[in-house]
């Protein structure tokens, strides 16, 4: 399983776009990149998953450069309710062990 | 469609007692994962089960911890002779097929050992 590195914390203001970058230098050919969101006292919630280029859903966008050694989760126009911990995971879909790192604590201010 | 259910939500045990944590996966999901989260830390994988089978238990301590997912009923994580260091939030997740990273998590059980 590829090791990931994320910033420990980030601050933002309501209405801003937030970009959280994750480094995964030893990503393997079959690995996918997945992001989860976790609020205090709750289980993580799947946000988005991608393999290359760009993926967008109703919640976020995921940008993956050609070398796939990093990825960026983009949250458009954040609100106070986006304050949470965001986890980047890299592994083979079909692999059964999900490893969560320490994540990035995003704090959105009014 | 109900989500992943865990009970109890909070559990207090004295040192030396047993703790039983239950997880009912989403309807149609036959794959269950258990994780432990210590305060201010990320989730740590413990065990992955399919119906009646333990697929990977490499993250689970060899002693005092066991897990099962019977043909009928919820998955159970059992901790015998609990110690203070077992105090944590235990999360269960389920998925519909073999190991997609899109897992659906329950609300967790907060175990406090006094």
């Amino acid at each position: 399983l590829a090791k990931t590195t994320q910033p420990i914390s980030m601050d933002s203001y309501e209405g801003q776009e937030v970009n959280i970058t994750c480094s995964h230098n030893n990503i393997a050919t079959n690995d996918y990149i997945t992001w989860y969101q976790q609020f205090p006292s709750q289980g993580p919630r799947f946000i988005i998953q991608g393999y290359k280029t760009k993926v967008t859903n109703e919640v976020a966008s995921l940008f993956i450069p050609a070398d796939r050694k990093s990825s960026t989760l983009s949250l458009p126009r954040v609100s106070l309710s986006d304050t949470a911990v965001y986890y980047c995971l890299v592994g083979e879909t079909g692999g059964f062990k999900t490893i969560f790192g320490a994540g990035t604590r995003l704090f959105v201010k009014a | 469609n109900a989500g992943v259910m865990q009970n109890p939500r909070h559990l207090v045990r004295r040192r030396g007692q047993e703790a039983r944590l239950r997880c009912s996966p989403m309807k149609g999901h036959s794959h269950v994962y258990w994780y432990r989260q210590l305060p201010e830390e990320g989730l740590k994988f413990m065990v992955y089960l399919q119906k009646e089978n333990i697929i990977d238990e490499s993250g689970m301590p060899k002693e005092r911890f066991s897990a099962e997912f019977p043909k009928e009923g919820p998955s159970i994580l059992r901790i015998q002779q609990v110690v203070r260091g077992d105090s944590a939030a235990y999360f269960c997740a389920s998925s519909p097929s073999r190991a997609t990273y899109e897992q659906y998590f329950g609300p967790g059980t907060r175990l406090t050992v006094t």
Side-chain angles (χ1 to χ4, degrees):
Chain A
L1 292 166
K3 179 175 165 29
T4 60
T5 303
Q6 303 174 236
I8 293 174
S9 65
M10 294 180 68
D11 288 344
S12 182
Y13 289 93
E14 281 190 294
Q16 289 187 332
E17 178 184 78
V18 170
N19 295 310
I20 306 174
T21 297
C22 178
S23 297
H24 28 80
N25 290 321
N26 59 341
I27 188 169
T29 303
N30 294 333
D31 286 346
Y32 279 70
I33 299 154
T34 309
W35 286 80
Y36 280 85
Q37 174 192 56
Q38 186 180 25
F39 297 113
S41 301
Q42 294 186 26
R45 182 176 75 105
F46 172 89
I47 301 176
I48 198 166
Q49 183 179 78
Y51 183 80
K52 62 180 179 181
T53 61
K54 178 183 174 183
V55 179
T56 297
N57 62 23
E58 66 278 4
V59 177
S61 295
L62 179 60
F63 297 92
I64 306 166
D67 67 5
R68 305 202 325 123
K69 292 184 183 299
S70 66
S71 58
T72 298
L73 175 72
S74 181
L75 304 172
R77 295 181 297 282
V78 294
S79 63
L80 296 176
S81 62
D82 292 317
T83 293
V85 178
Y86 293 82
Y87 295 97
C88 165
L89 285 73
V90 173
E92 185 175 337
T93 295
F96 48 72
K97 188 181 295 184
T98 303
I99 306 295
F100 286 79
T104 297
R105 290 183 177 276
L106 173 65
F107 186 66
V108 180
K109 306 173 192 176
Chain B
N1 188 10
V4 177
M5 298 172 66
Q6 290 188 249
N7 67 82
R9 293 293 308 278
H10 300 274
L11 182 62
V12 179
R13 284 287 178 266
R14 291 199 183 96
R15 279 181 297 170
Q17 292 185 320
E18 179 180 285
R20 280 187 180 236
L21 288 61
R22 295 175 193 79
C23 169
S24 296
M26 287 182 70
K27 187 176 180 181
H29 289 194
S30 59
H31 302 253
V32 166
Y33 316 79
W34 285 93
Y35 298 84
R36 176 164 64 176
Q37 186 172 37
L38 296 171
E40 306 301 318
E41 293 188 14
L43 283 80
K44 305 293 184 190
F45 168 82
M46 298 181 73
V47 62
Y48 163 46
L49 311 101
Q50 292 181 31
K51 284 283 188 182
E52 301 184 275
N53 288 302
I54 296 174
I55 307 302
D56 183 295
E57 57 183 347
S58 59
M60 200 156 65
K62 297 268 186 281
E63 297 179 357
R64 301 188 299 108
F65 285 73
S66 62
E68 62 177 14
F69 189 16
K71 186 176 180 182
E72 301 291 338
S75 175
I76 306 285
L77 179 67
R78 183 182 176 206
I79 311 172
Q80 295 178 290
Q81 298 175 323
V82 295
V83 301
R84 289 223 170 101
D86 296 331
S87 294
Y90 292 83
F91 291 97
C92 163
S94 71
S95 65
S97 62
R98 185 180 188 275
T100 165
Y101 276 103
E102 187 173 352
Q103 297 178 2
Y104 296 83
F105 281 80
T109 293
R110 267 149 193 84
L111 172 65
T112 302
V113 179
T114 61

